Structures are given as structure tokens and as C-alpha cells.
């Protein structure tokens, strides 16, 4: 059975540990801006976490001219083949949820890949179990 | 009318031959590009008029026809009268009345139109006695000059398509490939790859579609053998291709002809249509059930499109650039399908080999280079034109035997073989046998058969510069070593010829050449440094004098010499004075002339006209 | 599962396994063996223009023959022995970069790469024409991959250039600027203003984000992308920042939702 990254907003404290963990895991450094996951505070007790939905009918995959985006069948995540990406930015415009990002230095697409099958760092480090991988 | 079987082809041939036998006298006018340019069309028309006016066509059973190139282009327009084999050269329309009156009516010879041997100074009456022809052995050129290329019946009369009939009815595709393998035929386009092996690989490559193509994109400066074959005997090429298609299982093919060969295109096109009409191309060839058709693809004039992979891209409508051939085109060629590509001469040889037998072909030439090869012999040689000789003949025999030696009996300096990216061989290599391997070993190559003879008035550095300029212009520009490297090589040679050469230039040229040879993508790039490498190998001292002493002993590089008139040799004839375009020569009649070096542009006009070799290079 | 043949080959004395059809460069990249390239891009067809990726190959069956091949094109073979760096290779790459530096003396990318091979000033005659283009052809290939096929190479030899058809603004150009983004030397220029993008002689009107008004892409590209992907043009009318903001707004207004399961269909109103 494929595991799912599950978000339970009521447990989220907006501590932003998930963002830090994500940055360290993917970029090797701490920087909240480069995380592929974001947390938002809407008010007391109203926190939300936002990351890629790994859509079935993903617009990003459809628009990519060079097939740099494809689904990893074992994790279900849509992954970026960084070597293939030409940095045209089309995927980030096409994503209706704003979940695609681009590396500021080379324009290569950046998105959540569910950490390639390991327990996603965001879930592993979430202190309040708002993020779970199960 | 369609010929529906090998048997009915036989009877067609028989019938045509019967008709031909009734002709007692036949006048053959060369209508190859060279002779046409010299006005042979006017000669044909005048002959036609005169023959009809005299009623000769009825009385003498006379035939008049235009043929392909006889090969002896510099003597054109040529008229040959058969069966006596009388050979008239330099014929003008005004000579026609004499030909009709004297030769056709009364069997006399028109003395002034005969060929004069430049060495013996004697007039030669017959075709076969002219050394230029008598020393040749013609296979690829076998029918050229004898048949009317626009008439398929003429081709039948000389046994045309018998090879195809034999292949389709008596041989399996494997047997055809075996025969070609046994003949030892190697590709005549330059690479010299064994044709049989090429076909075998293609035939055994798994595929639903295969192609058989003909490379008629002859681009080497001074080479025109393929053009002559296409113009003069197009059916020999088509027959060869159909045989090849049968052997490898192809049903479609292209002849890639350069746009600059309009007559070849016209003749090929007409021959294809005729062959289709007669059931020798298209569906169910000769009733065998086998189908193959040929289209003509016209090249836009890029030298590189003679390279196989660039050619295939061009045929497919893409930019004519070569690709890396780590997977050969016999496996992945046109439209990524297994493809056999051979050049015009190879295909003309194939039809002969199948008709006459592989053993007969293999018996000619040398062990590893069998058969014959057509060369276009040009440059400072007395008899220029197309010559077909058995492989293994020496350069000396070609240049001094067939070619008659150097114009003005000047000293021989070098012969450039193999086209622009071939190499220059010096006098010490004159006794080298001409075959694929020995030419390569000597630093040149066979190429498609260009042979440019140079005398002592040729500067080898300038020659290398000239060929490099050609290659700079013709490099497709795809890969860096060829595009940038050959350009830089050329720049360095320009500088040396200008007098701006510096010590160390030779070494720099050599090291850059090594990289170009090693790193270029296609054969054009890999062989591009050949002109400079081969001249460096045999004429290094000339480079050194150019660089260190700023001297060009051959009197070609204008900044590096001056002309002076020798006091001992000058007779004061005044020829040079008249020839000088800048009026820098002075001198009274019968007095030694002098050149004003300040005014002299070193054009060499005085040297060219001087009969006493009095204009010296200093 | 996979029925492709596995091939073993040797690179720099170490043995590797590869799938049939891979190139030497594919294997080297996978194994982290450095080979310099200029005209290579994994998403595009390899062409072997720049010759920087040349490596030396030989084989026990080749009777001592060895030679240079472009690793981006040479398919792996059983028993192949590859050397990715030696004196000959180094010298070849150095000469190529020296030649490229003569062509593009002002390109910082070429300067940097050439310096790695000890060339700071070209030893050849410098190009008379100012250019940064090394004719790697990536722009032409990416344009073809996009499906626009607007530009191509024109001419031959040293005068070859990347050009527009008949030197006019290319009718097929959609203004995506992928050519400019992929160019390794920054030779293709374009200019963006809030209203228009100027490239290849065109002046394309920009589509602006429906929410914030930031320019997104040329109108012509939007039409092209919508048709090509089969997506509603609306997908291309919001910038990614505003898309994210909309997501947040949607969530805020429906905050009582339980959890968002990832990997499962999610209904989120646009």
C-alpha cells in the first residue's frame, strides 16, 4: 500500500520545523524560502500546511516540454528530473495551487518529492504529528 | 512497352541489335557538359542539316547521335565516326561541310581535325591509337561515348539490363551479395569500404524498410567522373541500384544529385522514366514480383552533403549536417532505416560485375583493390580528361603515359589526389601504385578520383592554403575543431603566404592538425588538415623558406619574391613586354628587357608567355 | 520488468554496469565521473557539436586500437574500456577551448572553462565579429523540443550562425525565451518590460497575472501552451505566487476541513 503524507491542521503549531527540515534535506542548508513545504497562520489555532498534492491529472506534467516531470510509481510523487529541466518555468505557472517553485540560481524546477520514499523529513521532524507519513 | 520477363528482355535486345547492325556509318557527337560548353550542340545541328541536305541518311544508312562525355574534354567538341573509329577534335560548325563531303561521302580524312600527339607531334587518325584512350580500360565508362544516353534502346543494344535480369531470375539476393563480395569491389566514392560487406550488413539488419541510395553529389574541385556517368550512361547506374536493392531487400531509393549538374539530372530523370515504362523500375520488375523505385533528390550545393550521413539528412529534408556514425548508416541510415549508399561509379561497376562475372572483375587491379578506377586527370598535364585504369597502375603511367606529361615539358612537382582533403605527392612517389591502401599510406587518399598535376611553378604552401580555403568554405560548421580549427589553420597559412609567418608556426599547425584529425565529427573534418600535413611531409623546406627567409621560390606568393629577366636567356623578343598588364617591362627589340620591380604586381603574365624561361624568380 | 540487456564496461579502470542504449556520458554522469560538456543537455538530443566530452576508448578485441569519441553519443559496449582524462584528451579539450576563446574572447563562461585548461589568452587569431555564440545548437534543439521550431542554424563553416528565417522575426516564435535560458554563454538576449517581451525582433504582448498584474508570458505563448497541453487557458493566467495565495485563501475560508490527504484526489476550488 502506498503511503500518504497526511496533514492534520488542528495539530499544527506553525513552528516551521517542517520547512527547516525540508530545506536541510534538499538543499543541505537551512533557509525557509527554499523549502518545498510552507506553513501558514491564520489566527489562534488556525494553522495550515501547504505542499504539493501530487495531483493525478497534474498540470505541471502536462505542460513540461521536455518530460522533466514524471511520477515515481513507488511513492506516487511527481518528481523533477533536474538534469532534464530546462528552467522554462511553465510548470509553476500552470500549477493552479502555486506549489511549484524554482531554484533562484539556475531556474530549475523545485517541488516536493516525498523524499523519494524515505519518511519525508517534514513528517519525521514534525513535533506535533501534524504531518504524518503512513 | 513493359518488358515482362527476362526472356522478353533478351528478344528486345536482339531486335534492337538487329536494327543497329543496319547502320553502316555512325557519327557520334559528344554532348557531355565540356563539349556542350564548347559548342557541340551547334555541331550536331549543322551535321544533321548537312546530312539531310545531302540525302546521306538514306543512301548510307547513316546514324547521327549525341553521346555522353568521351573523357578527352580539353580536345572538345569531339566527333567520332564509326565503325572506322575516326576521331575528330575541336570540331566547329564550319568544319561540318568538310566532314560530310570528305569523310562521310568519300571516306577521306580531314587532316586538320585529327588529334596531334603532343609528344610525337604526329596526327593520329583513330580513337584507339590515341595514347589517352589506348592505355585505358573502361568498365564504369564502358558505354559512354558509344551510346545515346537518352535512348534506352541504345543501352539494350550494348547488353544493358542483362545483369539485372540475371540477378532477378538466376540469383538469390545472397548470391548477388556473394558475387559483389567476391569481385572485391570497394566503394568508389572515397572511403573504399568493401561493397559486399556493406550490403551484407544492411541485408541482415532487422528492419521492415530498407533504402538503396546513390551518391551523385560529386563535389571535389576538378572531379567530374560521376557527372559523366550520369550524363552519359544513366541506365548503368539505375541497373546497378536495382541489383543492389534486390540484394538487400529495398523497395525505394534516391539518387542524390547536386543541383549544379542539370544535364545529369535531366538524363537521370529521363532514364528513370524510361526504365519505369519498360518495367525495369517500379512494381514487379521484369515480372519477378520484386519492386523498387528511384526518386531524384537534388542537393543544394553543399560539399558536405556528399558525406553519407549529411546526405541522408538532406534527402530527408533536414539541414545537411553529418552525425556521429557510431551506429553506421547501413544499420540506421535514411529515416533511421538500414540504408546502402554507394556512389555513381560503384553502381555502374555493379551492373557490369553481375553481367560479366565477379571473377572477371577481381582479376583486374591489385589483390586488395580490384577492378578499375576512373580518375579525372587535370592540372598541368597535356591530356586532361577522364581516364579509367586498372588499380595498381603507377602515378607515372597515368600522368606521363596517358596524360602525356607536363605541359611545356616543365618539371613535375606534385600530384594532388583524393580531392580537397587528399594530399600532395612528390616526384619520389611517382612510381607508387594507385590503390586505396598505398595512397593512404603515402599520406594522400583515393578519394573519388580527382588527380591534379602540378609543375614547378606551383607553390606547395599556396596549394595547401587554396585547398584549406575550399574546406573552410565547405565545412558545415557543426563541430568546433573543423569549423574553428580549419579556419585557424587557413589563417596561419594565409599569414605565411603573406610573409607574416613566424618561427613555431609549423609546429603550431601540426599540433592543431592533430586535434582536428582526432576530434572532428565527420570525415570532412578529420581529413581537412591533409593538404597541409601532406605538403609538410614532402615539402617542409618550402614552408621553412616562406617563414624564415620570406621567399617563395615557385613565384606564387606575391609578397615573397620578385621577377627578374635573365640577361643570358632573354632574346629581346618583346612578348613579355606586350603581356605585362601594368607596363612595367621595358627594353628595345633584341635587347635584354628589364622589369621595374616597384611597379610589378607579380602577376606572372611575363613568365607565362616567355618561351626561353628568361623570367626568373628571385 | 526490464528486459534490456545489461552491459559491463570499464571507466578509468573501474567496472560499471549499464543498460544497453546508454551512452558513455550517461554512465559517467550516473557514477559522478566528471566529463566537461557545453552542448549537452539531458532533455535534448545529443549532437556532438562541442567535442569537449571526448574520451578515449579501446577494447581488448581491438588489437590495440584506441581513439577519441564523443561520450555524449557513443553507446556503451560490452567490454569497452574508457579513459575520461589523459594527456591526449586534455590536450584536445584545451585546443577546443583555445579555439572557442578565439571565437568568443568576451564570453565569461568560455574564459572560465579555458582557464581550467590553462588557457587565459587564446593562442589563435581572434574573431573579427563580436559574438558569444559557440554554435552549440542548444537553443535550436530546445525550440524544437518546445514544438515551436522557430530558429535554426544558417550558413556554413565559420560564417554559420543561429538565425531567424530570412533574417526576419520568426513567424513561429512564441516568445518563451527558452533559447535564451538554455544558452550556456548567454549569447541570446531578450528584454522584458511589464508590457512586452522583445526577442528575435518580435515585440510580444505579455499576459498579466489576473490577480497581481505581474507579466507572466507572451500572449502567443499562452495560446500555444494551452493548445499543446490541452489545458484550459485559465491555467496560465495566474502567477505562481497568486496561485499559492488563492490556495491559502481557499483553505482559510474552509478551515474546518479535517485533513488533506496527499496522493489522494483533493478537491480544492480554484
Amino acid at each position: 500500500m502506498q503511503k500518504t503524507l497526511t496533514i492534520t491542521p488542528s495539530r499544527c503549531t506553525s513552528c516551521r520545523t517542517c520547512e527547516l527540515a525540508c530545506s536541510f534535506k534538499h538543499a543541505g542548508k537551512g533557509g525557509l524560502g527554499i523549502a518545498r513545504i510552507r506553513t501558514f497562520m491564520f489566527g489562534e489555532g488556525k494553522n495550515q500546511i501547504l505542499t504539493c498534492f501530487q495531483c493525478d491529472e497534474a498540470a505541471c506534467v502536462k505542460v513540461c516540454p521536455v518530460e522533466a516531470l514524471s511520477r515515481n510509481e513507488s511513492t506516487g510523487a511527481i518528481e523533477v528530473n533536474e538534469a532534464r529541466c530546462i528552467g522554462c518555468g511553465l510548470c509553476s505557472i500552470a500549477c493552479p495551487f502555486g506549489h511549484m517553485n524554482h531554484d533562484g540560481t539556475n531556474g530549475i524546477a523545485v517541488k516536493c518529492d516525498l523524499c523519494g520514499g524515505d519518511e519525508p523529513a517534514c513528517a519525521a521532524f514534525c513535533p506535533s504529528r501534524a504531518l504524518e507519513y503512513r | 512497352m513493359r518488358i515482362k520477363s527476362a526472356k522478353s528482355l533478351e528478344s528486345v535486345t536482339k531486335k534492337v541489335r538487329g536494327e543497329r547492325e543496319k547502320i553502316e556509318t555512325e557519327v557520334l557527337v559528344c554532348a557531355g557538359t565540356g563539349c556542350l560548353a564548347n559548342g557541340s550542340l551547334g555541331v550536331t545541328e549543322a551535321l544533321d542539316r548537312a546530312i539531310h541536305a545531302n540525302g546521306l541518311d538514306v543512301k548510307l544508312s547513316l546514324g547521327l547521335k549525341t553521346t555522353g562525355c568521351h573523357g578527352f574534354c580539353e580536345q572538345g567538341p569531339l566527333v567520332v565516326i564509326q565503325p572506322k573509329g575516326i576521331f575528330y577534335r575541336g570540331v566547329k560548325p564550319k568544319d561540318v561541310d568538310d566532314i560530310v563531303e570528305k569523310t562521310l561521302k568519300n571516306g577521306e580524312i580531314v587532316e586538320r581535325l585529327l588529334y596531334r600527339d603532343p609528344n610525337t607531334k604526329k596526327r593520329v587518325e583513330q580513337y584507339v591509337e590515341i595514347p589517352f584512350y589506348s592505355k585505358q580500360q573502361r568498365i564504369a565508362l564502358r558505354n559512354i561515348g558509344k551510346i545515346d544516353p537518352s535512348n534506352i534502346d541504345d543501352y539494350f543494344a550494348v547488353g544493358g539490363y542483362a545483369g539485372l535480369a540475371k540477378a532477378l531470375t538466376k540469383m538469390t539476393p545472397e548470391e548477388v551479395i556473394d558475387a559483389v563480395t567476391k569481385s572485391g569491389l570497394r566503394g568508389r566514392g572515397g572511403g573504399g569500404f568493401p561493397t559486399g560487406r556493406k550490403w551484407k550488413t544492411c541485408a541482415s539488419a532487422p528492419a521492415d524498410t530498407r533504402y538503396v541510395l546513390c551518391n551523385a553529389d560529386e563535389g571535389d574541385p576538378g572531379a567530374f567522373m560521376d557527372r559523366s556517368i550520369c550524363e552519359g550512361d544513366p541506365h548503368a547506374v539505375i541497373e546497378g541500384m536495382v541489383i543492389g536493392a534486390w540484394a538487400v531487400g529495398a523497395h525505394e531509393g534516391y539518387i542524390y544529385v547536386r543541383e549544379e549538374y542539370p544535364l545529369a539530372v535531366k538524363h537521370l530523370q529521363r532514364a528513370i522514366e524510361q526504365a519505369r515504362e519498360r518495367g525495369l523500375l517500379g512494381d514487379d520488375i521484369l515480372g519477378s514480383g520484386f519492386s523498387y523505385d528511384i526518386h531524384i533528390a537534388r542537393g543544394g550545393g553543399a560539399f558536405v552533403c556528399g558525406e553519407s550521413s549529411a546526405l541522408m539528412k538532406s534527402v530527408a529534408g533536414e539541414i545537411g549536417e553529418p552525425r556521429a556514425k557510431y551506429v553506421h548508416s547501413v544499420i540506421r541510415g535514411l529515416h533511421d532505416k538500414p540504408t546502402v549508399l554507394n556512389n555513381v561509379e560503384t553502381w555502374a561497376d555493379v551492373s557490369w560485375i553481375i553481367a560479366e562475372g565477379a571473377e572477371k572483375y577481381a582479376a583486374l587491379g591489385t589483390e586488395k583493390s580490384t577492378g578499375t578506377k576512373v580518375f579525372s586527370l587535370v592540372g598541368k598535364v597535356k591530356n586532361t580528361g577522364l581516364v579509367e585504369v586498372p588499380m595498381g597502375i603507377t602515378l607515372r603511367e597515368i600522368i606521363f603515359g596517358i596524360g602525356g606529361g607536363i605541359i611545356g615539358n616543365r618539371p613535375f612537382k606534385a600530384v594532388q589526389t583524393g580531392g580537397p582533403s587528399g594530399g600532395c605527392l612528390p616526384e619520389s612517389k611517382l612510381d607508387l601504385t594507385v590503390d586505396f591502401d598505398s595512397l593512404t599510406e603515402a599520406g594522400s587518399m583515393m578519394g573519388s578520383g580527382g588527380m591534379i598535376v602540378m609543375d614547378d611553378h606551383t607553390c606547395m604552401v599556396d596549394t595547401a592554403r587554396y585547398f584549406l580555403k575550399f574546406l573552410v568554405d565547405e565545412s558545415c560548421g557543426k563541430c568546433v575543431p573543423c569549423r574553428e580549427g580549419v579556419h585557424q589553420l587557413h589563417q596561419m597559412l594565409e599569414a605565411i603566404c603573406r610573409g607574416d609567418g613566424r618561427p613555431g608556426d609549423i609546429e603550431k599547425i601540426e599540433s592543431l592538425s592533430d586535434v582536428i584529425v582526432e576530434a572532428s565529427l565527420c570525415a570532412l573534418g578529420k581529413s581537412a588538415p591533409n593538404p597541409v600535413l601532406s605538403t609538410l611531409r614532402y615539402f617542409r623546406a618550402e614552408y621553412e623558406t616562406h617563414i624564415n627567409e620570406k621567399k617563395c621560390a615557385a613565384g606564387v606568393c606575391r609578397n615573397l619574391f620578385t621577377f627578374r629577366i635573365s640577361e643570358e636567356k632573354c632574346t629581346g623578343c618583346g612578348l613579355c613586354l606586350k603581356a605585362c598588364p601594368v607596363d612595367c617591362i621595358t627594353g628595345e627589340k633584341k635587347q635584354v628587357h628589364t622589369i621595374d620591380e616597384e611597379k610589378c604586381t607579380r602577376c606572372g603574365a611575363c613568365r607565362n608567355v616567355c618561351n626561353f624561361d628568361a623570367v626568373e624568380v628571385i | 520488468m526490464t528486459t534490456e540487456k545489461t552491459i559491463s564496461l570499464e571507466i578509468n579502470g573501474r567496472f560499471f554496469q549499464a543498460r544497453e542504449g546508454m551512452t558513455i556520458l550517461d554512465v559517467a554522469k550516473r557514477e559522478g565521473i566528471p566529463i566537461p560538456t557545453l552542448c549537452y543537455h539531458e532533455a535534448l538530443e545529443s549532437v556532438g557539436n562541442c567535442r569537449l566530452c571526448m574520451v578515449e576508448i579501446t577494447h581488448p578485441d581491438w588489437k590495440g586500437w584506441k581513439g577519441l569519441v564523443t561520450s555524449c553519443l557513443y553507446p556503451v559496449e560490452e567490454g569497452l574500456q574508457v579513459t575520461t582524462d589523459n594527456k591526449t584528451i586534455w590536450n584536445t579539450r584545451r585546443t577546443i577551448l583555445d579555439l572557442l576563446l578565439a571565437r568568443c574572447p568576451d564570453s565569461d563562461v568560455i574564459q572560465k572553462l579555458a582557464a581550467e585548461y590553462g588557457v587565459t589568452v587564446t593562442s589563435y587569431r581572434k574573431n573579427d565579429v563580436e559574438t558569444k555564440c559557440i554554435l552549440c545548437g542548444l537553443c535550436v534543439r530546445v525550440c524544437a523540443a518546445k514544438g515551436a521550431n522557430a530558429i535554426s542554424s544558417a550558413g556554413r563553416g565559420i560564417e554559420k550562425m543561429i538565425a531567424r528565417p530570412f533574417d526576419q522575426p520568426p513567424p513561429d516564435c512564441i516568445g518563451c525565451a527558452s533559447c535564451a535560458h538554455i544558452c550556456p554563454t548567454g549569447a541570446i538576449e531578450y528584454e522584458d518590460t511589464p508590457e512586452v517581451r522583445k526577442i528575435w525582433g518580435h515585440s510580444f504582448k505579455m499576459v498579466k497575472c489576473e490577480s497581481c498584474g505581474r507579466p507572466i508570458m507572451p500572449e502567443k505563448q499562452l495560446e500555444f501552451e494551452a493548445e499543446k497541453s490541452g489545458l484550459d487557458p485559465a491555467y496560465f493566467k495566474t502567477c505562481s505566487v497568486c496561485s499559492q495565495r488563492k490556495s491559502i485563501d481557499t483553505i482559510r475560508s474552509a478551515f474546518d476541513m479535517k485533513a488533506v490527504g496527499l496522493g489522494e484526489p483533493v478537491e480544492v476550488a480554484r
Side-chain angles (χ1 to χ4, degrees):
Chain A
M1 206 11 222
Q2 215 165 60
K3 288 188 177 179
T4 309
L5 183 68
T6 313
I7 299 171
T8 313
S10 55
R11 293 185 194 150
C12 177
T13 63
S14 264
C15 68
R16 307 186 79 177
T17 306
C18 55
E19 292 183 32
L20 263 174
C22 181
S23 302
F24 271 112
K25 171 97 185 190
H26 290 99
K29 57 184 176 187
L32 301 180
I34 49 176
R36 294 125 202 251
I37 189 165
R38 306 291 287 276
T39 57
F40 296 93
M41 267 164 63
F42 301 134
E44 190 65 26
K46 292 178 178 177
N47 300 326
Q48 178 58 333
I49 302 164
L50 218 55
T51 189
C52 176
F53 297 144
Q54 321 291 359
C55 311
D56 278 357
E57 294 274 325
C60 55
V61 176
K62 280 189 186 165
V63 298
C64 180
V66 291
E67 292 169 24
L69 289 158
S70 59
R71 192 177 300 278
N72 178 332
E73 292 302 335
S74 67
T75 61
I78 292 165
E79 296 179 353
V80 181
N81 180 339
E82 289 177 15
R84 288 190 72 89
C85 175
I86 56 168
C88 70
L90 206 56
C91 49
S92 66
I93 291 162
C95 174
F97 310 109
H99 288 164
M100 289 295 302
N101 273 305
H102 282 83
D103 188 312
T105 53
N106 56 14
I108 300 297
V110 164
K111 73 177 290 299
C112 169
D113 59 355
L114 294 176
C115 290
D118 302 337
E119 183 175 23
C122 52
F125 286 92
C126 180
S128 57
R129 290 195 296 120
L131 284 157
E132 289 170 297
Y133 194 57
R134 55 188 193 206
Chain B
M1 214 178 46
R2 279 182 77 86
I3 302 171
K4 288 181 180 145
S5 68
K7 222 169 175 73
S8 42
L9 176 70
E10 272 173 40
S11 49
V12 168
T13 305
K14 216 168 148 190
K15 185 167 154 259
V16 173
R17 277 187 183 156
E19 286 165 7
R20 293 289 187 279
E21 273 160 20
K22 288 182 197 142
I23 297 170
E24 285 166 16
T25 307
E26 194 164 42
V27 183
L28 307 171
V29 186
C30 177
T33 295
C35 283
L36 279 180
N38 266 325
S40 81
L41 197 64
V43 175
T44 314
E45 283 165 3
L47 272 168
D48 194 39
R49 270 197 307 271
I51 288 167
H52 280 90
N54 283 286
L56 288 176
D57 48 337
V58 189
K59 266 188 266 170
L60 289 173
S61 307
L62 192 98
L64 169 69
K65 70 183 170 197
T66 51
T67 69
C69 176
H70 288 246
F72 209 177
C73 303
E74 66 154 27
Q75 298 284 333
L78 307 176
V79 174
V80 177
I81 296 157
Q82 295 290 19
K84 282 189 180 165
I86 300 165
F87 181 84
Y88 289 145
R89 46 149 302 277
V91 181
K92 299 269 174 282
K94 65 176 168 49
D95 299 319
V96 162
D97 287 341
D98 274 355
I99 295 177
V100 172
E101 205 50 46
K102 290 190 178 161
T103 314
L104 297 184
K105 276 189 178 168
N106 301 316
E108 293 165 15
I109 300 292
V110 185
E111 197 72 18
R112 69 167 195 282
L113 296 175
L114 290 178
Y115 170 73
R116 202 162 78 155
D117 189 311
N119 294 325
T120 61
K121 310 279 182 214
K122 280 192 186 145
R123 300 248 176 222
V124 187
E125 203 175 294
Q126 289 192 340
Y127 204 85
V128 291
E129 289 169 357
I130 300 170
F132 180 78
Y133 289 110
S134 63
K135 293 184 178 171
Q136 293 191 41
Q137 189 161 7
R138 295 188 152 200
I139 289 178
L141 306 178
R142 59 192 178 275
N143 301 321
I144 301 175
K146 294 180 190 160
I147 64 167
D148 177 354
S150 61
N151 186 349
I152 193 171
D153 282 348
D154 260 35
Y155 188 62
F156 290 142
V158 293
Y161 288 106
L164 173 64
K166 185 174 166 188
L168 289 178
T169 54
K170 295 186 183 134
M171 296 168 88
T172 62
E174 294 74 30
E175 282 166 348
V176 174
I177 294 177
D178 282 348
V180 173
T181 308
K182 255 188 229 145
S183 76
L185 178 65
R186 291 168 69 172
R188 260 50 180 160
F193 192 82
T195 308
R197 186 144 38 111
K198 186 188 268 187
W199 292 15
K200 197 169 186 172
T201 316
C202 179
S204 52
D208 48 356
T209 310
R210 290 184 183 80
Y211 294 101
V212 163
L213 313 186
C214 171
N215 186 348
D217 191 58
E218 183 175 53
D220 292 359
F224 54 103
M225 40 266 160
D226 290 348
R227 190 195 72 207
S228 285
I229 297 172
C230 292
E231 287 175 2
D233 195 10
H235 286 288
V237 180
I238 294 169
E239 184 182 354
M241 287 178 74
V242 185
I243 293 170
W246 165 245
V248 305
H251 301 292
E252 205 182 353
Y254 291 86
I255 301 177
Y256 188 83
V257 204
R258 58 196 308 222
E259 184 70 29
E260 296 93 324
Y261 283 180
L263 192 65
V265 172
K266 192 173 144 193
H267 285 191
L268 283 168
Q269 191 70 55
R270 186 159 45 199
I272 288 171
E273 282 158 21
Q274 288 170 349
R276 269 192 210 130
E277 273 167 31
R278 306 302 281 267
L280 297 156
L281 259 186
D283 291 336
D284 193 17
I285 295 169
L286 286 176
S288 65
F290 173 70
S291 305
Y292 174 71
D293 207 353
I294 298 173
H295 314 281
I296 286 183
R298 282 189 274 185
F303 180 70
V304 73
C305 286
E307 194 277 344
S308 63
S309 61
L311 183 149
M312 288 171 201
K313 287 218 170 183
S314 181
V315 170
E318 293 170 44
I319 294 177
E321 286 176 355
R323 64 165 178 86
K325 289 191 284 190
Y326 300 138
V327 181
H328 295 291
S329 54
V330 277
I331 309 281
R332 214 177 71 203
L334 180 63
H335 303 308
D336 289 340
K337 302 290 182 189
T339 303
V340 159
L341 172 72
N342 282 118
N343 89 325
V344 171
E345 192 184 334
T346 316
W347 287 122
D349 284 337
V350 164
S351 42
W352 189 91
I353 288 166
I354 298 301
E356 301 286 328
E359 294 77 13
K360 212 166 151 185
Y361 191 85
L364 297 165
T366 66
E367 194 197 333
K368 284 187 174 165
S369 299
T370 59
T372 57
K373 174 82 192 85
V374 186
F375 292 95
S376 60
L377 185 61
V378 295
K380 299 286 174 64
V381 65
K382 284 175 187 161
N383 305 329
T384 61
L386 285 187
V387 300
E388 184 167 358
V389 289
M391 294 274 197
I393 189 171
T394 63
L395 284 166
R396 190 184 298 280
E397 279 173 87
I398 298 178
I399 297 164
F400 288 90
I402 297 170
I406 311 298
I407 295 174
N409 294 324
R410 300 207 63 83
F412 167 90
K413 185 165 186 182
V415 57
Q416 207 270 358
T417 73
S421 40
C424 296
L425 301 173
E427 199 179 0
S428 62
K429 294 283 172 191
L430 269 179
D431 290 310
L432 190 78
T433 54
V434 175
D435 60 64
F436 287 107
D437 309 305
S438 60
L439 281 176
T440 308
E441 211 172 286
S444 186
M445 59 189 206
M446 179 73 87
S448 61
M451 202 171 266
I452 303 170
V453 180
M454 302 169 205
D455 65 8
D456 64 334
H457 284 180
T458 317
C459 166
M460 299 318 289
V461 186
D462 178 70
T463 302
R465 181 200 60 79
Y466 169 82
F467 284 114
L468 278 184
K469 177 74 176 95
F470 178 88
L471 293 165
V472 166
D473 289 342
E474 294 299 340
S475 160
C476 81
K478 177 174 163 133
C479 77
V480 177
C482 176
R483 182 186 67 228
E484 308 292 337
V486 181
H487 164 69
Q488 293 290 354
L489 271 188
H490 174 246
Q491 292 291 330
M492 284 188 256
L493 286 183
E494 283 280 359
I496 294 173
C497 291
R498 217 171 36 230
D500 294 336
R502 283 170 306 194
D505 275 2
I506 295 180
E507 292 70 23
K508 202 169 154 191
I509 286 172
E510 283 174 327
S511 68
L512 176 56
S513 296
D514 285 347
V515 172
I516 298 171
V517 170
E518 194 68 74
S520 290
L521 188 145
C522 80
L524 190 149
K526 282 180 182 298
S527 62
N530 268 0
V532 52
L533 288 178
S534 72
T535 46
L536 267 174
R537 179 164 164 188
Y538 296 114
F539 303 93
R540 198 182 183 95
E542 230 172 295
Y543 280 83
E544 285 163 355
T545 353
H546 274 68
I547 295 169
N548 303 328
E549 295 161 36
K550 309 286 180 215
K551 285 283 169 212
C552 175
V556 175
C557 303
R558 294 190 183 191
N559 291 354
L560 306 183
F561 71 95
T562 49
F563 281 126
R564 194 168 297 165
I565 297 175
S566 154
E567 287 179 25
E568 291 93 64
K569 290 183 184 167
C570 180
T571 62
C573 71
L575 268 183
C576 57
L577 192 145
K578 281 188 205 127
C580 179
V582 292
D583 295 328
C584 74
I585 302 178
T586 49
E588 296 298 317
K589 269 256 176 241
K590 306 214 169 153
Q591 299 291 310
V592 173
H593 286 32
T594 48
I595 296 175
D596 180 349
E597 284 174 20
E598 290 291 300
K599 270 170 88 182
C600 175
T601 60
R602 294 165 195 89
C603 69
C606 50
R607 183 166 66 152
N608 290 343
V609 296
C610 182
N611 291 321
F612 308 99
D613 242 352
V615 182
E616 291 176 339
V617 173
I618 297 184
Chain C
M1 289 299 284
T2 175
T3 53
E4 283 159 325
K5 234 167 74 184
T6 305
I7 283 168
S8 42
L9 74 160
E10 202 182 315
I11 303 180
N12 299 339
R14 287 164 61 204
F15 289 90
F16 298 103
Q17 302 280 310
R19 271 179 297 109
E20 191 176 20
M22 281 177 95
T23 64
I24 296 173
L25 187 62
D26 288 336
V27 184
K29 279 199 176 289
R30 189 191 67 194
E31 302 299 335
I33 301 164
I35 294 176
T37 59
L38 272 171
C39 71
Y40 173 82
H41 195 286
E42 186 159 324
L44 305 172
E45 184 198 1
S46 291
V47 287
N49 288 4
C50 76
R51 322 303 285 170
L52 266 194
C53 73
M54 293 202 99
V55 296
E56 193 173 88
I57 57 164
T58 186
H59 193 282
D61 298 345
W62 292 353
K63 297 172 189 159
W65 186 91
K66 58 182 181 179
L68 298 188
V69 294
T70 38
S71 59
C72 68
L73 287 166
Y74 200 92
V76 290
E77 275 171 51
E78 188 63 43
L80 197 69
Q81 295 169 340
V82 182
T83 310
T84 63
D85 207 356
N86 63 23
K87 216 177 151 207
T88 316
I89 298 167
W90 192 86
N91 184 46
T92 302
R93 290 179 187 156
R94 180 193 153 98
T95 306
I96 286 164
L97 288 164
D98 197 349
L99 288 167
L100 283 177
L101 195 60
R103 179 186 173 86
C104 316
D106 301 326
S107 161
D108 47 353
V109 176
I110 300 301
Q111 283 167 3
K112 198 165 155 264
L113 208 50
E116 285 175 30
Y117 287 83
V119 185
T120 46
V121 180
T122 179
S123 58
Y124 298 105
R125 186 167 177 252
K126 275 190 196 169
N127 194 351
D128 300 327
V129 192
E130 202 176 302
T131 181
K132 279 187 179 175
C133 175
I134 55 166
L135 289 167
C136 67
L138 279 171
C139 50
V140 177
R141 284 177 279 153
V142 80
C143 189
K146 287 287 286 191
N149 287 303
I151 50 168
S152 170
S153 66
R156 293 201 286 263
I158 198 75
E159 272 151 26
K160 188 183 195 125
M161 54 184 174
I162 302 301
R164 315 173 294 172
F166 309 106
D167 208 23
Q168 298 294 312
D172 295 327
C173 179
I174 55 170
C176 70
S178 291
C179 50
H181 295 149
I182 205 162
C183 177
T185 59
I188 300 174
E189 287 172 357
Y190 71 99
E191 191 191 325
D192 271 1
T193 68
E195 304 303 323
V196 291
R197 171 173 292 167
K198 289 183 180 167
I199 189 164
W200 291 116
H202 277 295
S203 205
F204 290 106
K205 187 163 180 259
M206 295 297 272
V207 176
K208 291 185 174 174
C209 173
E210 283 179 342
S211 305
C212 69
R214 236 169 33 135
I216 297 180
M217 63 172 80
E219 264 179 9
K220 192 170 171 194
Q221 188 190 356
L222 192 149
E223 285 164 26
F224 178 90
E225 304 291 3
E227 194 186 331
K228 190 177 161 206
S229 61
L231 291 174
D232 190 298
Y235 274 82
F236 304 100
K237 290 182 179 165
T238 314
C239 76
S240 89
V241 176
C242 293
S243 293
Q244 194 172 44
R245 193 166 295 136
K246 274 189 189 172
S247 299
I248 298 162
D249 291 346
T250 313
I251 293 164
R252 188 198 303 228
S253 62
F255 200 71
D256 55 348
M257 67 193 292
K258 291 277 186 269
V260 183
L262 295 176
E264 294 166 6
V266 178
E267 299 262 349
V268 180
R270 273 180 60 81

